[in-house]
Amino acid sequence: MIHIKNYINGELIEPLNQEYLDNYNPATGKVYSYIPDSTEEDIEKAYQSAREAFPSWSKTTREERFRILNKIADLIEQNLKELAEAESTDNGKPVKLARKVDIPRASSNIRFFATAILHYASESHDMNGVAINYTLRKPIGVVGCVSPWNLPLYLFTWKIAPALAAGNTVVAKPSEITPMTAYLFSKLCIEAGLPKGVLNIVHGLGAKVGSAITKHKGIKAISFTGGTATGAEIAKVAAPMFKKLSLELGGKNPNIIFADCNFEEALRTTVMSSFANQGQICLCGSRIFVQRPIYEKFKTAFVEKTNKLKVGDPKDATTNLGALVSKEHLKKVVSYIRLAKEEGGTILTGGEQVHLEGELSEGNYLRPTIIEGLTFDCRTNQEEIFGPVVTIMPFETEEEVLLYANSTKYGLAATVWTQDVTRANRVASKLDSGIVWVNCWLVRDLRTPFGGVKSSGVGREGGFNALNFFTEPTNVCIKL
Ligand code: NAD
């Protein structure tokens, strides 16, 4: 079985303590590889190599950074099949989803920031002829990137690419639940000729390796994607050291469907936005609000379409939902279905685990679940479940649905379905949400600021915002 290695100072090496954790295949429930159980000492080693690499990497020309990053993106594309299969085995998602979305988007992230750095300019301000100000933007130094398990390579590259493009060196930690694609990625970085120490990937537990990054005095900025509770912990530790923080956190996204929507389009996309990646995308809509005149019709069609989704082997091209990422996560999601029933909800479809045959019999499969009959403010409708479980409820007016939609502590993404453009703009402007999709979902323009409001995060990444985050501005004021 493969022993995953850390990538430090340009080499693939064992953790210093030589200890490993089991890595499970969610589709079979079986251990299929081992992951370094790294410690603070490995982070220190990674930090030292990043520190040594910084003076030279930060002085490479933008064209050179562009060239190397593009080479890494080329290699991702050339290894699409292997990476997609690895991501599916590690995460439980259908291979076809990883092939179509996760891996191509990982290479787009890298190409996007490779190119963006060529066009990144700083500002100058003329003070009516009295003085002129210009802003220098310098890379910060050694920065930390910590990512979650749901879109493993996609979110990992989303952080690393702007950090490297801006001239920083990086100590990165992928999720211990899905380490494999980051490991394969480290091999591609070596093949692409990324200078040693520029990127260091240390595997292991959040409480050991992640917190060692947060606590490290030399790591000046942290870009984190993960749960809100973990984000709060990172902020608590990092704030007294005045680290720059970008926190992309949880969500409980509303999907608002007005009676005048394009019914078929709203229905088709809602099935996807509810259950893609087993509902484990931070941007999935988990609370579906449907305007009264079409409520019954939409509900019936939505249940019918959901019943047709196939839960099965992630390797099978006809599978729509694969396995949930871990036994613990499955247990958490199932506990919310129980809670929903206690809170008075009716399960319209799903609600049970799926037991497949043969080597998949121990896998973490759950039928996509739709729940009706809950109040907007009950726990099921307020807390992030992060699985293939959605609630559906009717509403009458715009004011009412805005109250429901904005009632949670989160504010990551929202979807609005209507043919009335004035209403679309009005509702979008009143939603507490980092992103509002109108008549679509998951359409991403990498130039736009990405992230949430309220407990969904701070410090928007995306486009030049990410390059701003990973650079330190100095304003120079010259008297004329
Ligand atoms: P998590 O917070 O448990 O873990 C995320 C990462 O943080 C992992 O690498 C983990 O090892 C590390 N970590 C854990 N404890 C740490 C600590 N004390 N210090 C530093 N690092 C630590 O999240 P998860 O379960 O991996 O991911 C699911 C969550 O991520 C969901 O809440 C989801 O909404 C959120 N998410 C948000 C976005 C977004 O863009 N806003 C995108 C994807 C996922």
Side-chain angles (χ1 to χ4, degrees):
M1 256 190 269
I2 294 182
H3 280 71
I4 287 172
K5 302 256 180 347
N6 288 332
Y7 171 49
I8 298 178
N9 207 26
E11 286 174 12
L12 298 172
I13 57 170
E14 294 206 84
L16 292 168
N17 61 10
Q18 305 209 340
E19 287 183 16
Y20 288 84
L21 303 161
D22 291 340
N23 187 28
Y24 291 86
N25 174 348
T28 62
K30 304 265 176 3
V31 175
Y32 86 102
S33 60
Y34 298 105
I35 163 175
D37 185 9
S38 309
T39 65
E40 217 164 320
E41 281 75 50
D42 298 285
I43 289 294
E44 186 55 35
K45 194 174 164 74
Y47 168 73
Q48 290 304 339
S49 94
R51 194 179 59 83
E52 278 163 32
F54 179 70
S56 132
W57 180 248
S58 58
K59 286 191 193 70
T60 52
T61 60
R62 291 163 181 232
E63 289 74 13
E64 177 63 0
R65 280 177 255 151
F66 164 81
R67 190 190 64 75
I68 295 182
L69 289 171
N70 256 329
K71 173 88 181 133
I72 297 173
D74 288 343
L75 290 171
I76 291 178
E77 284 156 21
Q78 285 159 23
N79 290 278
L80 172 71
K81 184 169 176 288
E82 188 197 0
L83 286 165
E85 283 168 5
E87 179 133 320
S88 165
T89 308
D90 225 21
N91 172 279
K93 69 181 63 194
V95 175
K96 70 173 179 207
L97 182 71
R99 271 191 91 131
K100 196 167 151 218
V101 179
D102 296 62
I103 308 303
R105 286 200 179 192
S107 70
S108 327
N109 284 341
I110 296 182
R111 278 201 205 289
F112 177 84
F113 286 108
T115 316
I117 196 65
L118 296 178
H119 303 276
Y120 184 52
S122 57
E123 314 86 46
S124 96
H125 302 92
D126 169 25
M127 295 175 69
N128 303 319
V130 176
I132 190 153
N133 295 272
Y134 64 85
T135 308
L136 283 174
R137 285 204 164 263
K138 293 170 278 188
I140 297 169
V142 180
V143 300
C145 297
V146 180
S147 60
W149 50 257
N150 63 324
L151 304 167
L153 192 62
Y154 176 21
L155 292 174
F156 193 62
T157 50
W158 177 242
K159 314 193 147 299
I160 286 168
L164 295 178
N168 300 281
T169 53
V170 175
V171 176
K173 188 196 110 52
S175 169
E176 61 273 32
I177 301 169
T178 53
M180 190 55 86
T181 42
Y183 172 55
L184 299 177
F185 179 76
S186 53
K187 293 185 177 183
L188 301 182
C189 291
I190 295 172
E191 196 180 334
L194 187 69
K196 64 179 191 176
V198 169
L199 171 64
N200 303 274
I201 302 176
V202 183
H203 295 273
L205 299 172
K208 283 192 204 171
V209 178
S211 76
I213 293 177
T214 313
K215 280 192 293 203
H216 200 291
K217 289 195 171 60
I219 297 177
K220 302 278 190 243
I222 295 182
S223 171
F224 168 80
T225 299
T228 296
T230 315
E233 175 61 25
I234 290 175
K236 196 168 81 185
V237 177
M241 289 185 263
F242 308 109
K243 292 192 185 202
K244 265 184 131 175
L245 284 182
S246 168
L247 304 172
E248 306 280 3
L249 310 175
K252 187 77 181 173
N253 309 313
N255 179 4
I256 302 171
I257 301 167
F258 285 98
D260 69 344
C261 69
N262 176 331
F263 188 89
E264 286 308 320
E265 194 52 30
L267 177 65
R268 194 183 62 77
T269 308
T270 297
V271 173
M272 218 162 54
S273 67
S274 301
F275 303 122
N277 205 36
Q278 298 73 244
Q280 302 166 141
I281 301 180
C282 55
L283 305 165
C284 276
S286 52
R287 296 176 296 147
I288 303 168
F289 303 114
V290 187
Q291 208 168 19
R292 181 72 75 185
I294 61 162
Y295 181 74
E296 288 303 325
K297 181 179 166 200
F298 187 91
K299 181 180 87 177
T300 309
F302 181 44
V303 169
E304 215 170 84
K305 250 189 165 4
T306 300
N307 284 339
K308 291 196 181 123
L309 296 176
K310 179 174 165 193
V311 179
D313 185 352
K315 292 199 191 87
D316 183 339
T318 62
T319 290
N320 300 110
L321 280 83
L324 270 68
V325 76
S326 67
K327 287 256 174 298
E328 294 67 36
H329 189 58
L330 174 67
K331 221 185 271 174
K332 178 194 144 183
V333 175
V334 168
S335 79
Y336 271 102
I337 297 175
R338 211 174 306 122
L339 174 70
K341 288 185 200 156
E342 284 162 21
E343 290 185 317
T346 305
I347 312 290
L348 298 178
T349 184
E352 326 95 37
Q353 284 177 238
V354 179
H355 298 284
L356 300 176
E357 307 270 286
E359 66 158 2
L360 306 178
S361 61
E362 300 294 314
N364 316 320
Y365 301 96
L366 183 68
R367 214 164 270 303
T369 302
I370 306 172
I371 306 169
E372 186 189 37
L374 291 166
T375 57
F376 76 91
D377 55 355
C378 67
R379 277 185 57 204
T380 310
N381 268 329
Q382 293 290 314
E383 297 175 16
E384 186 183 43
I385 301 174
F386 213 52
V389 177
V390 298
T391 63
I392 186 164
M393 66 186 283
F395 70 91
E396 307 281 348
T397 64
E398 238 174 79
E399 292 65 36
E400 184 189 0
V401 79
L402 281 165
L403 168 75
Y404 297 168
N406 289 337
S407 66
T408 74
K409 68 175 182 177
Y410 297 106
L412 186 55
T415 319
V416 180
W417 292 91
T418 176
Q419 301 283 52
D420 177 342
V421 70
T422 310
R423 172 162 45 206
N425 286 307
R426 189 171 54 236
V427 171
S429 73
K430 289 182 182 168
L431 282 165
D432 299 340
S433 186
I435 309 163
V436 179
W437 276 296
V438 177
N439 299 333
C440 61
W441 177 71
L442 211 63
V443 179
R444 282 276 293 121
D445 182 330
L446 299 186
R447 292 168 300 183
T448 58
F450 174 82
V453 299
K454 302 199 289 193
S455 295
S456 290
V458 288
R460 302 301 184 78
E461 290 182 17
F464 291 140
N465 274 5
L467 295 174
N468 284 344
F469 175 77
F470 282 117
T471 51
E472 209 69 90
T474 301
N475 185 63
V476 180
C477 178
I478 308 172
K479 175 109 175 48
L480 294 176

